[in-house]
Amino acid sequence: QVQLVESGGGLVQAGGSLILSCAASGSIGSIGDMAWYRQAPGKQRDLVARIWSSGSTNYADSVKGRFTISRDNAKNTVYLQINLLKPEDTAVYYCNVAMRWSVREYWGQGIQVTVSS
């Protein structure tokens, strides 16, 4: 079993920055891609950014140029650097981790990011 623990959320003024972290622990094998999703109240959960084991990344159009995803394989951790925050970024952010040799994927508990205008 793998557990994901997220940290780094909070309340910030528009234009500010945050760094979200997601650390995996437990029976960790070979981690594949790692990603961040977000979900606003009453709306679907959408992909924000993804990073593959190769280091390649992709981003939702709404966050390109402002968000940066990275990973530290030695720490089994994925990060999301968020700059120039907008009120539209307000949501619960979820970490997602997939294992290379398993159909299983894991979700973090969700962490609130609130941006005041």
Side-chain angles (χ1 to χ4, degrees):
Q1 185 67 30
V2 174
Q3 297 82 42
L4 305 180
V5 178
E6 302 177 30
S7 61
L11 174 65
V12 66
Q13 189 174 357
S17 299
L18 287 173
I19 301 176
L20 305 184
S21 299
C22 174
S25 63
S27 57
I28 301 172
S30 180
I31 295 177
D33 61 291
M34 309 174 80
W36 288 95
Y37 291 74
R38 67 185 181 186
Q39 185 171 25
K43 298 183 178 179
Q44 68 185 84
R45 187 175 301 183
D46 293 325
L47 176 68
V48 175
R50 185 182 302 278
I51 183 167
W52 283 270
S53 58
S54 65
S56 297
T57 60
N58 74 279
Y59 298 90
D61 288 340
S62 60
V63 307
K64 285 182 178 178
R66 300 188 299 118
F67 289 20
T68 302
I69 188 170
S70 61
R71 61 194 289 168
D72 186 335
N73 292 329
K75 297 181 179 179
N76 295 316
T77 300
V78 61
Y79 305 93
L80 188 68
Q81 172 73 55
I82 308 176
N83 298 321
L84 298 172
L85 278 160
K86 304 176 180 179
E88 309 94 89
D89 296 320
T90 296
V92 176
Y93 285 70
Y94 296 90
C95 175
N96 176 267
V97 174
M99 300 299 164
R100 293 187 66 188
W101 306 111
S102 174
V103 297
R104 290 281 295 168
E105 64 179 34
Y106 301 91
W107 291 94
Q109 80 278 11
I111 189 164
Q112 180 71 47
V113 173
T114 302
V115 184
S116 61
S117 59

